[in-house]
Amino acid sequence: MASADLEAELRCSICLSPYTDPVSLRCGHIFCRVCIVKMFNAYVWSGVYSCPECRVEYRKRPVLQKNWKLSNIVEHYLSTHSVQEETKIFCTYCDSPVPATKSCLLCEASFCDKHLSKHSKGAEHVITEPTVSFKDRKCSIHEKVVEYYCSEVSATVCMSCWVAGDHRGHHRELLNVASDNKKEKLRNVTETLKSEREETERRVQRLQDHRGEEKEKATGVTERVTGLFRDIREKLDTLERGVLSEISRQEEKISLSVSDLISQLEIQKDELSRKIISMEEVCKITDPLTVLKKELESDVISHRSCDVSSDVRDVGCLDEGIISQMLHRGLSHFADNLIDLKIRRQFSVMEKSDILFDKKTASNTIIISDDLRSASYTDVDQNIPDGPERFKSKQVLSTRSFSSGSHYWEVDVSREEKWLIGVAGHSIKRKTLGNESYIGYNDKSWGLSFVKHFKAFHNNIHKELNEINSGSPIQTVGIYLEYEAGRLSFYQLCDPIRHLHTFTATFTEPLHAAFYVYNSCVKIIQ
């Protein structure tokens, strides 16, 4: 009964089998490592992990601590009990089935403790753990008990094999010695594998933690983006309401003016109608004297009548000039406020830095435009006087360098079939045509290139960017340098906008924008 109770205590509550590599949670409950890892993997998307026993919850994936003491107990228990239970080897001499504790290879019989005490103690009687494979323990040639291990051919042999047989003169070890040596090697390998497994688990844990952190970050960025667009809509809605209100005001003013004028014209129309009737009555009179008298009265009336001469031009029209002015000023003000809105929502502004080509650094095969924003290749040597800052290779740097802060610039590469752009420290070598001076081929510079395929270069090590080696040719590249953070990022700016590559490094000197001009032209976009 005690053995059964102990066995129950050594069983995992998940798989209901004896513990395999038992690990503990902070709550104290113990499980097989594989069992609890599988269960936690199923909890990944919920973001909450709980103990299968007590249901205590963990916000972060718990670190699994190996329970070495319990592991040793389980291993010892299984080694002493599992053989009889799994193989069902019983004592040869007991009337009822009694589990055997040992077997004799010479007698080819198994014994319980009672019958083993009566068994011969002679040296030729080799006592082993309970077994039914007696023939496997004897030499197939000499039918003698295998006593030795030949390490030269990795085979078990009997005394006759070693003294006079095929293994004569070979190095041999007693089976238990050879077994112990092999176990020692296996233990060493096992410890190495366990260390590798634990390191793998730590890497998995780090990746899962990273995934969780990035998920939280994505949620936060989503909220900030939603807030930014809400702010933008509020600003635009305010502007829209103001413009629409002005349109309504003008429309109402024009409508009132038109109504007033219509009222006046209606009065004038009625007066004219009365005159018409009066004159028509005069025209019906046959007495000349009476007609003449009526006509004089009509002239007087006509002279005294109200003449409303106002027309459409006098009531005014919708002033689209004011509307356009309101839109222009409102949208300009909105554009100015957009930077503040982005900063308030903790987004990088990415305003373009003022980048110009430095003529002093351009090689003699590069023509710099008057505005210092275009660099073109020429196969005609320009015969420009040499100087300490001028490159021999087809490269040019910017006049400005950066030793702190965040900076952004855009480069038009649409005219180049192949290009190489990036940043370089001021100390980059300039008087060679080898790797010492090329962008990204030394530890002073970082570059992104396109020559049939995209590659990222630094310290003469290139990385193939296969994930972006498809789609339409890039027209414009945006470069974002975050000096203190040690990041240099490249972006494709045509539709769709996408991230190309980010270098991470510790920058130790001022950095210039750097350009290699192959056979055409590169431009800095204002």
Side-chain angles (χ1 to χ4, degrees), residues 19 196 204 272 293 306 364 373 386 426 428 477 504 526:
Y19 288 114
E196 292 179 2
V204 169
L272 291 172
K293 289 181 178 180
C306 177
N364 270 311
R373 295 189 182 277
D386 195 9
H426 191 78
I428 187 173
V477 178
T504 55
Q526 290 181 295

Side-chain angles (χ1 to χ4, degrees), residues 336-485:
D336 294 337
N337 285 340
L338 187 58
I339 293 176
D340 294 334
L341 292 177
K342 291 175 66 178
I343 292 175
R344 192 172 76 181
R345 294 294 177 178
Q346 302 177 1
F347 284 106
S348 301
V349 176
M350 282 193 174
E351 283 192 301
K352 291 180 186 175
S353 301
D354 190 19
I355 301 290
L356 301 173
F357 289 115
D358 188 354
K359 285 187 174 182
K360 299 191 303 296
T361 65
S363 75
N364 270 311
T365 59
I366 295 178
I367 300 175
I368 304 299
S369 62
D370 292 338
D371 63 358
L372 303 181
R373 295 189 182 277
S374 177
S376 304
Y377 170 76
T378 177
D379 55 4
V380 178
D381 195 312
Q382 301 300 294
N383 294 319
I384 303 173
D386 195 9
E389 297 183 50
R390 192 173 306 285
F391 281 100
K392 279 194 172 183
S393 57
K394 297 188 293 184
Q395 295 185 155
V396 59
L397 300 181
S398 64
T399 55
R400 185 178 178 185
S401 64
F402 308 106
S403 56
S404 63
S406 298
H407 307 276
Y408 175 74
W409 62 97
E410 295 176 2
V411 184
D412 181 352
V413 294
S414 59
R415 299 187 185 183
E416 288 275 19
E417 292 184 2
K418 50 187 179 179
W419 44 265
L420 172 59
I421 56 178
V423 299
H426 191 78
S427 63
I428 187 173
K429 293 187 177 180
R430 312 181 188 209
K431 300 305 179 183
T432 65
L433 291 175
N435 293 347
E436 295 89 347
S437 68
Y438 294 151
I439 301 169
Y441 284 75
N442 46 72
D443 61 358
K444 306 294 184 182
S445 57
W446 295 259
L448 182 74
S449 80
F450 179 79
V451 182
K452 295 184 178 180
H453 301 285
F454 287 99
K455 292 182 182 180
F457 286 88
H458 174 62
N459 204 17
N460 204 20
I461 298 174
H462 72 267
K463 178 182 178 182
E464 295 274 358
L465 306 179
N466 296 318
E467 66 276 11
I468 61 170
N469 281 329
S470 60
S472 58
I474 291 180
Q475 305 291 314
T476 307
V477 178
I479 303 173
Y480 188 45
L481 171 64
E482 301 168 271
Y483 194 94
E484 285 84 1

Side-chain angles (χ1 to χ4, degrees), residues 42 131 140 163 182 192 259 313 325 361 384 446 479 482:
T131 181
S140 59
V163 173
K182 185 172 183 177
T192 301
S259 296
R313 291 168 295 179
Q325 187 63 240
T361 65
I384 303 173
W446 295 259
I479 303 173
E482 301 168 271

